[in-house]
Amino acid sequence: MYAVSADSKGLDTVVGLLADVVLHPRLTEEEIEMARMAVRFELEDLNMRPDPEPLLTEMVHEAAYKENTVGLHRFCPTENIAKIDREVLHSYLRNYYTPDRMVLAGVGIEHDHLVECARKYLLGTRPAWGSEAPVDVDRSVAQYTGGVVKLERDMSQVSLGPAPFPELTHIMIGLESCSFLEADFIPFAVLNMMMGGGGSFSAGGPGKGMFTRLYLNVLNRHHWMYNATSYHHSYEDTGLLCIHASADPRQVREMVEIITKEFILMGGTVDVVELERAKTQLMSMLMMNLESRPVIFEDVGRQVLATRSRKLPHELCALIRSVKPEDIKRVASKMLRGKPAVAALGDLRDLPAYEHIQAALSSRDGRLPRTYRLFR
C-alpha cells in the first residue's frame, strides 16, 4: 500500500508521484543494502522482544496450515536476505504489480477527477521492470491441517531494563473459523469481541473490555495468568480464531486446560447482555476507526481489492446488530469440530501432548485427560 495525504487541489501531482513510485522505483544497490540491514535488525529484534505475539502468530499459522499458503513463513529467513537483489525484486513486481491486482482509492476528492488522473498517469505506462508478460502466480486455496509447532527457549532473560521480567511460557491455541467472504464472518467477529481479554496489568476503565469472558473467567479468577487474549485472523479462503495465554512454566498444564474450557464454553449458552455488549463494542470500534480519513481510504482500498465492492459502515452495523445468540452457538460448535492448531514458546516441559489438547476440545467440559505418573 502506497499512501499520500495532501491538499485536494494537488490531486494531479499526487497521483503522478504515486504512479512514479509504484511503477518506476529506482531500487539502487545502496537502497537495497539499507533495506537488507533493516530486515536483519528487525529479525534480531523479533527474537529478543518480551512480547512474543508476532512470533506466536507466525507459529500458529505454521501449525494450522502446514507447508501451504498462509502457513508459509511471513518473515524472511536470515540466509535469504542476501539473495534478494534488484533482479529478484523486478521479477516480483512484474508478477504481482498487475492492473487486476491494483486499486486506486481516494477520500475527499471527486471521483471523475481521480479517474482522469488514473488514465493520465497509470494507463499505457511502461513500468521499470519492462513489458514482459507476468508468470501465473500461485492461486492455491488454503488447506487447514491443524497441528503443533513448539519452540523451546529460555525466556528468563527477556527483560529490557534492570528490573527482571518474569519467566513465562506462551501458548496459542487456534481453530479454523471462516473467510471474510462468508456470512459467518460477522458472528465470528462478535464472538472474538465477546472473548476479548488482554494482559493482567491492563488499566481498567470504560471500553477496555474488562467485562469480556477472558477477563471475567480467566484473568480475574487466576491471578497467576499474565495474559489471555483472543485474536481473529480472516483471509479470502480461510480464517483462524486463536487464544494466546501466558503464565509461569510450572502452570502450563493448568493454563492449557483453562483455555480449552473457554473454547468449549463458546459453544454453550450465550448471555444476551454479554452479546449486546460485544456487538456495541464492535460497532463503536468500527465507527471510531472510520473517523479518520487515512483509515477510511485504507478501508475503501482493502474492501474493493478483496471483495470488488465496499460495504458502508451502516450496512456493517446492521449486520452486527442482526447477530443472535444462536448464531454464536452455531459458528462456535462448527469450529470446535475441527482439529486445533497449537503454538508453544518457552519452557515446555509441562506442555500437554497435542492429542490431549485435541481430546479436551472434543470433550463436553474441556478438561484434559488425566495422566498418572509414578515418579514426579
Side-chain angles (χ1 to χ4, degrees), residues 10-38:
L11 180 66
D12 198 276
T13 316
V14 161
V15 175
L17 281 170
L18 271 179
D20 204 33
V21 168
V22 175
L23 301 173
H24 302 108
R26 286 173 59 204
L27 303 177
T28 61
E29 193 48 53
E30 296 92 300
E31 285 177 319
I32 294 171
E33 193 45 54
M34 286 286 285
R36 285 189 192 124
M37 281 168 67

Side-chain angles (χ1 to χ4, degrees), residues 163-191:
F165 198 82
E167 184 187 349
L168 300 176
T169 293
H170 302 271
I171 305 290
M172 200 179 261
I173 300 176
L175 288 163
E176 188 180 23
S177 58
C178 72
S179 87
F180 56 66
L181 298 173
E182 293 174 52
D184 283 344
F185 171 61
I186 302 290
F188 268 117
V190 175
L191 172 62

Side-chain angles (χ1 to χ4, degrees), residues 86-292:
R86 196 163 189 261
E87 201 178 311
V88 172
L89 292 174
H90 271 180
S91 87
Y92 168 79
L93 294 167
R94 186 180 302 114
N95 295 333
Y96 287 90
Y97 280 32
T98 54
D100 58 316
R101 303 175 79 94
M102 288 186 187
V103 169
L104 177 65
V107 172
I109 46 182
E110 287 297 323
H111 179 76
D112 293 341
H113 191 186
L114 187 64
V115 172
E116 195 184 303
C117 293
R119 286 211 172 97
K120 183 174 171 185
Y121 294 106
L122 292 163
L123 281 187
T125 312
R126 189 175 187 277
W129 49 90
S131 48
E132 291 171 47
V135 178
D136 272 348
V137 295
D138 182 5
R139 293 184 192 276
S140 46
V141 174
Q143 303 297 315
Y144 183 86
T145 58
V148 61
V149 171
K150 301 182 204 174
L151 184 56
E152 286 264 5
R153 181 181 284 179
D154 177 14
M155 301 293 277
S156 58
Q157 307 294 322
V158 293
S159 177
L160 297 174
F165 198 82
E167 184 187 349
L168 300 176
T169 293
H170 302 271
I171 305 290
M172 200 179 261
I173 300 176
L175 288 163
E176 188 180 23
S177 58
C178 72
S179 87
F180 56 66
L181 298 173
E182 293 174 52
D184 283 344
F185 171 61
I186 302 290
F188 268 117
V190 175
L191 172 62
N192 179 50
M193 211 71 198
M194 202 167 81
M195 297 311 293
S200 57
F201 300 117
S202 177
K208 289 278 170 65
M210 288 306 201
F211 285 93
T212 57
R213 282 191 181 185
L214 292 178
Y215 264 113
L216 292 176
N217 302 351
V218 178
L219 295 164
N220 292 359
R221 290 186 188 178
H222 307 283
H223 64 90
W224 46 268
M225 290 273 281
Y226 277 79
N227 189 334
T229 316
S230 175
Y231 297 96
H232 187 218
H233 305 279
S234 209
Y235 305 98
E236 197 175 30
D237 47 12
T238 186
L240 196 61
L241 187 89
C242 316
I243 294 180
H244 167 207
S246 44
D248 185 281
R250 289 163 298 190
Q251 285 162 312
V252 169
R253 186 182 169 83
E254 209 175 332
M255 166 171 72
V256 170
E257 189 168 83
I258 287 165
I259 298 309
T260 53
K261 283 178 179 174
E262 282 307 309
F263 268 113
I264 295 296
L265 288 171
M266 287 182 195
T269 40
V270 178
D271 181 57
V272 180
V273 176
E274 70 170 342
L275 179 65
E276 286 307 312
R277 188 187 286 120
K279 281 158 47 171
T280 307
Q281 215 175 342
L282 184 59
M283 286 188 284
S284 67
M285 199 170 82
L286 177 76
M287 300 312 277
M288 275 174 72
N289 282 336
L290 291 172
E291 278 179 13
S292 79

